[in-house]
Amino acid sequence: GEIYKITRKAVIFGKRTMSVEDVRKIRFGIVGKRDTNGPGLEFNMDVVGKDESRLSLGWTAYKDIEKQEELFKGLQDAALNYLIPPILENIESDLDQGHVVKIGAAMCKKQGVQFEIEGWFNSKKIVCPWQRLKVSLSNGQLTVSDPTERKALHEMSIATTDNALALFFLISKYQN
């Protein structure tokens, strides 16, 4: 069979390989589904390179769910250990150089995360400092908010939003 693994040096999804240095974005998740085959789980992982090339791995399991979850957990753990740290370094480096990094609807800047606040007649953009942001992760949904701005809220799925998980770790760094 084909090899699917993430090592210190590379992501190998079947015949396709990407070096860890080239990885810029990741997303992964498990989604429950029910169809004519009965209840199942859909496993997905996408890795995106600096040239925007994308390696995708996805499958649906209806039997041996525990074994499938175990296999996916191995890939998740490897992604957290080998891919997230360099992705965070790249994002922080981009922010330090004054670039805007878009993660889902969140426009990230060196000063913080930009929110568009909808008013009655118009909307305004505000940047909430990193230190003030609250972040939570529940059922695969990432929520970013500013407790002092009721309408400052971003919600995104970590399974379908590139680097949502990286945003979680970025904000978490400022929480101590």
Side-chain angles (χ1 to χ4, degrees):
E2 292 192 345
I3 293 171
Y4 294 90
K5 67 180 182 179
I6 297 171
T7 68
R8 260 185 197 85
K9 300 240 182 280
V11 177
I12 302 154
F13 284 0
K15 292 175 177 54
R16 298 188 61 204
T17 301
M18 185 183 296
S19 82
V20 167
E21 294 97 72
D22 288 343
V23 175
R24 290 297 178 270
K25 300 174 188 166
I26 187 168
R27 69 178 188 215
F28 55 81
I30 303 171
V31 179
K33 74 177 280 174
R34 181 179 286 282
D35 58 24
T36 53
N37 297 309
L41 289 179
E42 216 170 60
F43 299 86
N44 290 297
M45 182 175 284
D46 277 35
V47 177
V48 182
K50 59 182 175 196
D51 59 357
E52 290 298 317
S53 63
R54 185 178 288 268
L55 301 188
S56 297
L57 172 62
W59 76 92
T60 303
Y62 297 98
K63 318 189 221 356
D64 296 328
I65 299 277
E66 288 79 21
K67 189 176 190 315
Q68 299 297 317
E69 284 178 314
E70 211 173 287
L71 283 170
F72 195 71
K73 187 174 179 344
L75 284 170
Q76 269 182 305
D77 290 347
L80 290 169
N81 287 317
Y82 303 135
L83 303 182
I84 292 286
I87 286 172
L88 287 172
E89 276 175 35
N90 283 314
I91 292 173
E92 289 178 313
S93 160
D94 284 348
L95 293 172
D96 285 343
Q97 292 169 34
H99 298 291
V100 175
V101 177
K102 189 176 185 313
I103 299 177
M107 301 301 251
C108 304
K109 301 175 174 199
K110 190 175 171 57
Q111 305 81 3
V113 175
Q114 179 176 299
F115 294 86
E116 195 156 330
I117 307 294
E118 297 293 328
W120 282 101
F121 302 107
N122 55 14
S123 62
K124 64 178 179 176
K125 290 179 170 63
I126 60 166
V127 174
C128 301
W130 292 101
Q131 294 81 346
R132 214 167 63 202
L133 293 170
K134 293 283 170 260
V135 66
S136 66
L137 195 49
S138 176
N139 294 325
Q141 279 293 111
L142 179 75
T143 304
V144 179
S145 60
D146 180 339
T148 66
E149 283 283 349
R150 198 172 48 82
K151 293 182 176 177
L153 183 72
H154 286 305
E155 290 181 304
M156 57 191 85
S157 157
I158 61 165
T160 58
T161 310
D162 288 342
N163 280 352
L165 204 57
L167 182 57
F168 173 80
F169 288 114
L170 263 180
I171 296 170
S172 298
K173 263 179 72 167
Y174 290 97
Q175 300 305 300
N176 40 13

